[in-house]
């Protein structure tokens, strides 16, 4: 029986019994756990046959050493050396020169997984696997030149400007990490390149009052599922990020006090949101309709998971044509909330706190107030304004795109 891990951990290895563990970032490296023994092995193909060699035993050989030995043997195999022959001492493997894929995987396990939340780490793994490994993965890292880096990012930019911007920063970090660890020598090909050629496009779309009236009239009768409708309503009324809303667990919601606690945020700073009445009503209705012991406010059809953010994006993009207003996204509802609160007189400090933004500069050093009460009052004011739009009893505020 086998079990695939995102990455080996000491805790997972110690708990393993009579199972073979593998990790996604090191295909071929295995930890075979018996009742009392745990052995590192490398399984590979050689001359149209599958072979396996033993690398060492846990915990004498730790995770880092097993990965290093695995990488050496894998590199040797690509150079024509049979790992079994190398292990047997028939030939000495040449010093392994790290590939781009190996550097990225080391960066993930040694830096990203230790310094970022699980969602951010998963996104980095996905981006490397989708964009980097198919193009540069097998290249020897030290062979990558500045023109190579520019050509790679240009190709990504032609498909996705946002992905190119992120990858420039990530790969700069990969090389910096590798240089500090002594895995590569020379310079960093991704440092200070393509300045001005990967501009950040700031989206400015928000819904004005006239559009919100149409939106409220359309939503209950739209083709969008009731789950997505509820999620969109909560995003609009609380200014929370779409990912924060669909990832809500019932343990984070206190309906008695009317608050929810966001433990995993983009700013890596937990915060408490005082909910407006309309959002409480939505959550109470969902709580009453939820199964006993349900974990997620917005459960996925797959057991044990919450709704994927892609499902939210897909539903909006598929059905928003049903309403005659310009293109909008779920994240635009968050911008709509921030803009609307500002128009209602909410201060910048409170508005930014409602978005969960971390104050920068001098303000971030000296103003440590969390504005929890003030944010609650601002969200209540905004939600009451939305309720008047639903009944068409207010003159529309002027808006923009």
């Amino acid at each position: 029986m086998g079990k695939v891990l995102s990455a080996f951990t000491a805790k997972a290895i110690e708990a393993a019994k009579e199972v073979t563990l593998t990790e996604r970032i090191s295909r071929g490296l295995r930890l075979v756990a018996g009742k009392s023994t745990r052995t590192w092995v490398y399984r590979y193909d050689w001359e149209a046959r599958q072979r396996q060699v033993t690398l060492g035993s846990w915990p004498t050989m730790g995770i880092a050493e097993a990965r290093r030995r695995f990488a050496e043997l894998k590199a040797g195999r690509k150079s024509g050396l049979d790992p079994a022959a190398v292990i047997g001492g028939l030939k000495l493997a040449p010093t392994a020169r790290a590939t781009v894929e190996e550097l990225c995987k080391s960066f993930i396990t040694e830096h990203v997984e230790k310094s970022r939340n699980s969602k951010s780490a998963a996104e980095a793994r996905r981006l490397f696997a989708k964009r980097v490994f198919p193009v540069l993965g097998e290249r020897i890292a030290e062979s990558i030149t500045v023109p190579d880096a520019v050509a790679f990012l240009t190709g990504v930019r032609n498909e996705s400007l946002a992905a190119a911007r992120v990858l420039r920063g990530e790969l700069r970090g990969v090389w910096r990490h590798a240089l500090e660890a002594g895995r590569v020598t020379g310079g960093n090909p991704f440092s200070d390149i393509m300045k001005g050629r990967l501009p950040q496009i700031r989206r400015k779309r928000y819904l004005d009052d006239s559009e919100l009236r149409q939106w409220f009239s359309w939503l209950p009768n739209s083709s969008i599922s009731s789950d997505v409708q509820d999620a969109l309503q909560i995003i609009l009324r609380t200014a929370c990020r779409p990912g924060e809303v669909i990832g809500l667990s019932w343990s984070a919601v206190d309906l008695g006090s009317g608050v929810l606690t966001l433990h995993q945020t983009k700013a890596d700073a937990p915060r408490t949101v005082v909910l407006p009445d309309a959002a409480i009503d939505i959550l109470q209705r969902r709580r009453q309709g939820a199964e006993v012991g349900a974990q997620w406010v917005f459960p996925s059809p797959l057991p044990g998971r919450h709704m994927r953010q892609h499902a939210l994006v897909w539903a909006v993009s598929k059905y928003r044509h049903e309403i005659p207003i310009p293109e909008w996204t779920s994240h635009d509802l968050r911008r709509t909330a921030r803009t609307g609160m500002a128009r209602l007189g909410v201060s910048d400090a409170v508005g930014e706190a409602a978005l969960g933004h971390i104050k920068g500069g001098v303000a971030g050093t000296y103003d440590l107030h969390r504005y929890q009460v003030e944010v609650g009052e601002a969200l209540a004011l905004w939600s009451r304004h939305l309720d008047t739009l639903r009944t068409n009893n207010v003159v529309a505020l002027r808006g923009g795109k």
Side-chain angles (χ1 to χ4, degrees), residues 96-132:
R97 299 173 65 195
T99 64
V100 173
E101 182 172 343
E102 290 165 349
L103 292 194
C104 290
K105 289 178 177 179
S106 296
F107 178 68
I108 290 287
T109 57
E110 297 170 8
H111 173 71
V112 173
E113 291 179 348
K114 296 179 180 179
S115 61
R116 305 181 194 175
N117 60 39
S118 58
K119 181 179 178 181
S120 178
E123 176 60 17
R125 283 193 294 270
R126 184 196 68 80
L127 200 57
F128 284 148
K130 179 180 179 180
R131 301 282 186 181
V132 180

Side-chain angles (χ1 to χ4, degrees), residues 100 136 139-149 175 187-190:
V100 173
L136 299 178
R139 289 278 303 273
I140 298 300
E142 291 184 351
S143 73
I144 302 296
T145 63
V146 170
D148 290 334
W175 252 262
N188 187 334
F190 288 91

